Amino acid sequence: MFSDYGYSEEKKLGKAYDFRLLKRLWPFTRPYRIHLFCAVLLIICITLLELALPYVTKMAIDRHIVPDREISGRIVGDEKNRLLYADTSRKEIADLVRKYPSLFHTDSRGSGIALADVSKMEMTDIMVLRQKDIAGVGFLAGIFLIIVLLDFGLNFVQVMVMEYAGQGVMHDLRMKLFSHIQGLSVSFFNRSPVARLVTRTTNDVQNMHELFTSVIVFVFKDVFLLTGIAAVLLSIRWQLALICFTLLPFMIWISLYFSRQVREIFRTLRIKTSEINTRFSETIGGIKVIQLFRQEKANYKKFTVLNHEFYEAGMGQIRIFGIFMPMIELFNAVALALVIYYGGRGVLSEEVSLGVLVAFISYMRMFFNPIRDIAEKYNILQNAMSSAERIFLLLDTDERLSSPEKEPRLLQNIEHIAFENVCHAYVKGETVLRDVSFRITAGETVAIVGPTGAGKTSAINLLIRFYDPVSGCIRINGQDIRELDIARVRSETALVTQDPFLFSGTVRDNIVQGNRDFSEEKMMEVLENANCRSLIEKLPDGLDTLLSEGGSSISSGERQLLSIARAFARDPGLILLDEATSYIDSETEVRIQEALARLMENRTAIIVAHRLSTARSADKILVLRQGSIIESGNHAQLMEKRGFYYKLHQLQNRSSEDGAAPGISVS
C-alpha cells in the first residue's frame, strides 16, 4: 500500500480506454491541422519509399544478379535450364562464344551458357558477358540510394513539421491550464498542493507532446506500412505470406494484454511523480524548520519510502517491457525462420526465386517493426491518457467565484463600504464570522482587533472577494460586491500584509507590477513616501537589483517597506493593512508607521492588528471575538466602557512591562 504523505489525488480515475479524452484534446490541434495534414502526407510518401527498398533489391537479384526470366534486350535466362543467352550481334560477345565453344550452346534463340559454367570463364570475360547486368545493378543501386536520400529528407521535414505542431499544441495547452489555474478561487489553492499543480503544467503537458509527436501521425505510418507490406507480400508469393500471417493473432493478443497491464503502472507513476514533487517542495520551503529541529534524518526516511514506491512502480513498468519486447523479437525470429525454411525450399525446388526470398526476409523484418511500434505507441498513448485525465480534471474544476448574470457594474470611486449580517465558514460547520455588520465611509480609518482566530483576516478576505460569504452581503457604494467588476474593485485596493510576497525579478518590477508608463520622477516620489530611498541606495544595482524567490534575499522589514511602495505606486482608494507591523524591530517599525501614515492620508483604510497601539489613532475600532463584533467605537470610548477591549489593552500593557512580546493575543 502506498502512503500519500499529505498528498491526495483529485478524483478516482475513469476507464482505462476513454476516447472522450482524445475528443477533448482534438480542439487543441485545430490551429495546426494543416501541419498535421502535411505530416500525414509526408508519412505516406515515406512509407511508400520504405516499401520500395526491398522491392528494388528483389529486382536487382532476379533481373541481373541471378536472372531467371527473359528480359527483352538483355542477357536472358531460361527458367528450366538456367541458361544465360548472349547477344551475339555484339562483337565482344561473339568473340566470347568463339573463345569458349564448349561452354556455349546455340539454338533458335541464339547462344547461351549455363549459369553453372559461367564461373569457368576468366573474370575479365565474365565482366564482358554480364556488362549489361552490371549496368543494371548499378542503375538499381542508384535508384536505391536516391530512395534512401529522399527518405532521409522527407523524414527530416516530417519531424520538423510534427514537432512544430506538437510544440504548438503543448504551448496552447499549458497556457490554457495556466490561465485556468489563475482564475480559480483561493479556496481551491488552500486544498491543492503546489507541487501537484506544477506537475500538471510540466510533466503531464510534456506527455501530451509525446502523444501528438509520437502517436497520432506515426500510427498512420505504422498502419499504412503494415497494410502495404501485407499487400506486397501477398502479390509476390501469397502462399508464403499466409504462412507468416498465422502469427498475427498471437501478436495482437500479447500486445493488448501487456498494454492493459502497463496502464495502471503509468497511473501510479503519475501519482508518485506528484507526491515526490510535493515532498521536495515542502522540504525546500520548510528547510529552516527541518534543520532547526534536526529533522533531516526523519525527513530523509520519509522521502526514501516515497522514492522507493516510485522505484517499484518504475520497475513494474520495466518488467512488463522486459517480457513484452523479447516476445515481439521472438515472434519476429519465428516468422523469419518460417520464411527461410519454406522460402528456402522453394528456391531449392526452383518454385521461388532468390530475389523473392531476399525480399520476403526484408519485408518480414519491416513487418514486425510497425507491430512493435504500435504496441509502444499504445503504451505512450496510455501514459498520455493518464496525464490527460488529470489535466482535464483540473480544467473541469470550476471553483470560481460567481459572476454577475448581467454586465458587471463598473466602480468609479469607493464612497462607502457596508457589511450586512455577514456569516462565513471555510469548512462547513466551522463558522468564523457570525452576523458581522458595520459601515465605513470614504476617508475613514477603521481598525479591527481581537484574539487570534476571531475572524479579523477573514473580513479582509471577504472584502477583496477572495471568498464569498456563506450568508449576508457586502456592499460597496450600495451595490452588492458580487454584482461589481471584481477586477475594478481590486484595482482600487492595496493590501499590505504581515509577510508580503515579492516575486523573483527586479525591485522595480515588484513595485510597478507591470506598469511600463511609470516615470522615474513618480518612482522617486513613491520611494520617498514609502521610506525606501535608503533601502534602494544600499542595494547593489538599485531598483534593478534582482530579488530571489519570495524576496528572501532581503529582511522582512525591507520586504514590508517595498510592499508599501507597491501600494503607493498603485495609488488606491482603499488600503487594507493585515498585521502590517507585527514582528518588526522598533527602528524599522517607526519607518513603516511613518510610511503607512502617509499611505492612509485621504484614503479609506482598514487595519487588522494585534498591537492595540496600531489601532489607537483609528476613527473607529471594531472588536471581534469568536467571529462576532462585541464592541465598537474609538479608543477613548472603548477604554471608558472598560469591556473586553479595555482588558485586552491592559493585558498587552502588562506583557510589555514584563518584557513579553507586545503582540500577544487574548483567547
Side-chain angles (χ1 to χ4, degrees):
M1 180 179 292
F2 295 136
S3 56
D4 61 11
Y5 300 104
Y7 176 91
S8 60
E9 273 302 312
E10 297 93 329
K11 293 180 181 178
K12 183 176 177 62
L13 297 178
K15 298 179 181 179
Y17 311 102
D18 193 347
F19 289 98
R20 289 176 298 177
L21 293 172
L22 289 175
K23 184 178 179 181
R24 293 190 64 180
L25 285 170
W26 177 248
F28 291 97
T29 66
R30 286 177 182 168
Y32 310 98
R33 56 183 178 271
I34 295 178
H35 298 85
L36 293 174
F37 178 74
C38 291
V40 171
L41 287 181
L42 288 169
I43 284 293
I44 293 174
C45 294
I46 292 168
T47 304
L48 291 174
L49 291 174
E50 292 181 0
L51 286 172
L53 290 175
Y55 200 82
V56 170
T57 304
K58 172 189 174 297
M59 290 173 61
I61 294 173
D62 286 345
R63 292 189 179 188
H64 302 291
I65 299 175
V66 187
D68 65 350
R69 58 177 59 90
E70 183 175 351
I71 302 174
S72 178
R74 300 182 183 175
I75 299 174
V76 298
D78 184 281
E79 293 186 6
K80 182 176 180 181
N81 299 314
R82 307 294 292 165
L83 297 176
L84 292 176
Y85 281 84
D87 182 6
T88 53
S89 63
R90 293 170 53 200
K91 180 179 180 301
E92 58 270 23
I93 300 299
D95 292 341
L96 289 178
V97 172
R98 287 192 295 269
K99 184 176 180 179
Y100 301 100
S102 61
L103 300 180
F104 283 88
H105 307 276
T106 303
D107 56 26
S108 59
R109 288 180 293 179
S111 299
I113 183 173
L115 285 175
D117 293 336
V118 172
S119 60
K120 297 177 182 180
M121 299 173 61
E122 295 177 4
M123 182 57 67
T124 54
D125 293 336
I126 293 175
M127 299 297 288
V128 172
L129 179 66
R130 307 202 64 179
Q131 185 176 3
K132 287 190 175 181
D133 276 327
I134 294 171
V137 170
F139 174 77
L140 291 175
I143 296 295
F144 193 97
L145 180 60
I146 291 172
I147 291 174
V148 170
L149 292 176
L150 281 174
D151 183 68
F152 171 80
L154 292 180
N155 266 297
F156 174 78
V157 174
Q158 185 273 329
V159 169
M160 294 300 296
V161 170
M162 199 61 239
E163 281 294 327
Y164 179 84
Q167 292 289 342
V169 170
M170 188 170 61
H171 170 274
D172 296 346
L173 183 58
R174 186 178 289 119
M175 293 306 300
K176 173 76 173 178
L177 200 57
F178 187 81
S179 175
H180 178 77
I181 290 173
Q182 280 199 128
L184 294 175
S185 64
V186 175
S187 60
F188 169 80
F189 297 99
N190 292 341
R191 299 189 316 275
S192 302
V194 173
R196 178 203 289 172
L197 303 179
V198 171
T199 301
R200 295 294 167 269
T201 54
T202 53
N203 300 54
D204 289 327
V205 172
Q206 181 63 36
N207 286 338
M208 295 298 98
H209 170 257
E210 293 184 13
L211 169 66
F212 289 109
T213 57
S214 301
V215 176
I216 294 179
V217 172
F218 281 95
V219 164
F220 284 97
K221 177 183 179 182
D222 291 332
V223 172
F224 191 76
L225 189 59
L226 274 176
T227 306
I229 291 173
V232 173
L233 291 179
L234 289 170
S235 66
I236 292 176
R237 194 75 181 180
W238 66 268
Q239 298 93 333
L240 190 56
L242 291 179
I243 292 173
C244 298
F245 292 166
T246 57
L247 298 175
L248 278 179
F250 301 99
M251 292 282 298
I252 295 172
W253 180 83
I254 288 173
S255 299
L256 293 176
Y257 174 78
F258 281 104
S259 296
R260 285 193 295 267
Q261 296 298 313
V262 83
R263 171 71 172 188
E264 290 304 319
I265 290 180
F266 279 133
R267 284 176 166 176
T268 302
L269 285 172
R270 296 270 68 75
I271 294 173
K272 294 296 113 182
T273 299
S274 294
E275 290 181 4
I276 287 175
N277 288 342
T278 297
R279 170 57 55 181
F280 196 75
S281 176
E282 288 180 351
T283 298
I284 299 302
I287 191 66
K288 293 180 181 178
V289 176
I290 291 173
Q291 293 180 352
L292 177 64
F293 288 93
R294 305 292 297 159
Q295 291 298 302
E296 294 94 337
K297 185 177 292 186
N299 194 54
Y300 177 82
K301 288 181 179 178
K302 292 179 180 178
F303 188 79
T304 299
V305 173
L306 184 58
N307 196 42
H308 185 70
E309 291 170 353
F310 182 86
Y311 165 80
E312 287 293 336
M315 288 305 297
Q317 175 190 357
I318 292 172
R319 282 191 290 269
I320 289 177
F321 283 115
I323 298 173
F324 174 70
M325 290 303 176
M327 290 191 72
I328 295 292
E329 294 300 328
L330 176 62
F331 278 100
N332 192 0
V334 171
L336 287 175
L338 292 173
V339 169
I340 292 172
Y341 177 73
Y342 288 102
R345 287 182 60 179
V347 171
L348 293 175
S349 63
E350 298 187 353
E351 295 177 356
V352 177
S353 70
L354 182 61
V356 168
L357 178 60
V358 172
F360 248 88
I361 292 174
S362 299
Y363 279 123
M364 288 312 299
R365 289 184 179 277
M366 292 174 60
F367 189 74
F368 281 88
N369 286 335
I371 295 176
R372 184 174 58 247
D373 288 344
I374 288 174
E376 290 179 353
K377 300 300 188 295
Y378 188 72
N379 292 326
I380 293 174
L381 174 64
Q382 293 194 92
N383 190 17
M385 289 299 96
S386 295
S387 296
E389 284 173 309
R390 303 188 186 285
I391 288 174
F392 285 117
L393 280 175
L394 183 54
L395 288 175
D396 290 340
T397 301
D398 193 23
E399 294 190 27
R400 301 170 181 267
L401 297 174
S402 61
S403 301
E405 296 180 359
K406 301 178 180 179
E407 188 72 21
R409 293 185 173 88
L410 296 177
L411 182 69
Q412 301 300 325
N413 295 296
I414 297 178
E415 298 173 0
H416 50 80
I417 300 168
F419 276 57
E420 298 177 357
N421 303 112
V422 171
C423 295
H424 186 61
Y426 298 105
V427 180
K428 189 174 182 180
E430 299 180 12
T431 304
V432 294
L433 290 176
R434 294 180 177 85
D435 293 323
V436 172
S437 299
F438 62 87
R439 183 181 176 86
I440 304 172
T441 58
E444 190 175 19
T445 298
V446 175
I448 304 176
V449 301
T452 300
K456 304 183 296 296
T457 301
S458 296
I460 298 293
N461 289 336
L462 293 175
L463 181 56
I464 49 182
R465 213 185 169 203
F466 285 156
Y467 307 88
D468 279 337
V470 174
S471 63
C473 179
I474 300 173
R475 297 185 182 277
I476 298 180
N477 298 348
Q479 299 297 326
D480 191 326
I481 193 172
R482 288 167 290 198
E483 297 178 358
L484 295 172
D485 182 356
I486 192 59
R488 179 62 180 165
V489 173
R490 290 172 179 171
S491 68
E492 281 292 312
T493 306
L495 174 64
V496 181
T497 62
Q498 174 184 340
D499 188 17
F501 185 87
L502 299 180
F503 294 92
S504 54
T506 65
V507 174
R508 184 189 304 275
D509 289 340
N510 271 279
I511 292 175
V512 301
Q513 288 293 293
N515 185 358
R516 300 301 176 187
D517 299 328
F518 214 80
S519 64
E520 282 298 315
E521 293 78 8
K522 192 172 182 180
M523 176 64 75
M524 291 302 106
E525 181 183 351
V526 165
L527 296 178
E528 190 69 39
N529 289 331
N531 281 344
C532 287
R533 287 289 291 272
S534 59
L535 166 62
I536 300 302
E537 289 171 357
K538 73 177 185 180
L539 293 175
D541 296 316
L543 285 168
D544 297 318
T545 300
L546 288 173
L547 299 177
S548 59
E549 182 182 359
S552 58
S553 54
I554 60 178
S555 69
S556 58
E558 290 170 336
R559 289 197 298 271
Q560 194 73 265
L561 289 170
L562 288 179
S563 72
I564 296 173
R566 183 163 60 190
F568 268 112
R570 195 179 186 90
D571 192 21
L574 174 63
I575 305 296
L576 304 177
L577 308 179
D578 189 1
E579 309 283 355
T581 58
S582 298
Y583 314 123
I584 301 296
D585 63 88
S586 300
E587 181 180 351
T588 305
E589 181 180 0
V590 172
R591 297 173 60 192
I592 291 175
Q593 292 284 13
E594 291 175 353
L596 289 176
R598 284 194 287 266
L599 179 63
M600 291 187 294
E601 284 180 5
N602 302 319
R603 291 186 175 96
T604 308
I606 300 177
I607 305 171
V608 171
H610 281 309
R611 297 185 181 191
L612 299 186
S613 58
T614 307
R616 293 186 63 169
S617 59
D619 299 316
K620 183 190 297 182
I621 300 172
L622 303 176
V623 183
L624 278 176
R625 187 179 186 186
Q626 296 181 353
S628 300
I629 297 177
I630 58 173
E631 295 177 349
S632 65
N634 58 37
H635 175 73
Q637 292 170 341
L638 293 175
M639 290 297 290
E640 186 178 345
K641 289 182 180 179
R642 304 178 70 86
F644 184 79
Y645 178 84
Y646 174 82
K647 294 177 182 178
L648 186 63
H649 187 271
Q650 295 297 103
L651 181 60
Q652 288 197 2
N653 285 341
R654 192 178 306 117
S655 298
S656 299
E657 292 171 1
D658 293 339
I664 189 171
S665 62
V666 178
S667 299

